[in-house]
Amino acid sequence: MQGRTVVRKKLNKLSSLTKSKSLQKSSVVVDGFYHINELKLRLEAMVREYSILLQNLQLPTEVKVERIHGDGLLVIKVKSWEKGRGLLVSILESLEEMGVNVVQARVSCTHGFNMEAIAEARDKAPDIQKLTQQIHKAIAEPGHGGVVL
């Protein structure tokens, strides 16, 4: 008896969720199946629409360069929503041109391009503003490096 009551309660819940007017178990289950498929189709359409919106959205690139006090090291943070354009190679080449060696870096290309790096100048300390501009230029016009991210 308790098993039937539990099944009946679950069928009533399913019937109310799917707005099924049927009283037969099999019809309520079929209505539930169709409702789930309809929800899946609506979700897929929303994901496609979201993807199109993201492609058309132009988000700004963020570049932040800071000195670590006392060590002569620099912390470089880059966040760009562009993907697949060889950004890592371009940024590293521009840093090398400015006389800056990357000591340690963490890069992610999961959602756009993200890089955090610790770097040091080979000779004299570079101008932070010029270094930031150089990185922005490297992102805007990626070099012709062989590796593409």
Side-chain angles (χ1 to χ4, degrees):
M1 279 282 194
Q2 287 180 338
R4 286 184 186 175
T5 307
V6 171
V7 170
R8 193 174 306 128
K9 284 182 181 180
K10 288 185 179 186
L11 280 173
N12 284 339
K13 275 187 182 180
L14 181 61
S15 180
S16 67
L17 286 173
T18 61
K19 297 177 178 104
S20 176
K21 307 251 189 263
S22 180
L23 299 175
Q24 294 181 341
K25 291 179 192 177
S26 60
S27 295
V28 172
V29 171
V30 169
D31 288 346
F33 174 75
Y34 284 128
H35 184 71
I36 289 170
N37 281 333
E38 180 186 339
L39 291 174
K40 285 169 109 177
L41 291 173
R42 287 171 46 192
L43 178 62
E44 288 171 4
M46 290 168 64
V47 167
R48 277 193 306 272
E49 187 176 331
Y50 177 72
S51 176
I52 290 168
L53 286 172
L54 280 181
Q55 288 174 353
N56 294 329
L57 186 63
Q58 295 295 322
L59 297 172
T61 298
E62 299 173 24
V63 177
K64 189 173 184 179
V65 180
E66 298 175 329
R67 290 189 201 283
I68 297 177
H69 297 288
D71 291 341
L73 296 175
L74 303 167
V75 174
I76 302 169
K77 295 180 183 181
V78 178
K79 185 172 190 168
S80 174
W81 295 98
E82 300 293 326
K83 286 176 75 173
R85 295 184 29 217
L87 295 178
L88 179 60
V89 173
S90 297
I91 292 170
L92 293 176
E93 286 175 350
S94 68
L95 290 174
E96 189 175 322
E97 288 174 14
M98 294 282 295
V100 175
N101 292 330
V102 174
V103 178
Q104 180 181 353
R106 198 173 343 167
V107 179
S108 170
C109 297
T110 306
H111 301 288
F113 175 85
N114 292 298
M115 180 181 94
E116 284 188 31
I118 297 176
E120 63 183 354
R122 276 184 251 148
D123 300 327
K124 59 178 182 158
D127 181 359
I128 298 294
Q129 188 173 2
K130 284 184 182 179
L131 189 57
T132 303
Q133 289 173 349
Q134 185 72 16
I135 294 171
H136 272 290
K137 184 178 175 185
I139 292 170
E141 304 168 6
H144 305 304
V147 179
V148 177
L149 288 179

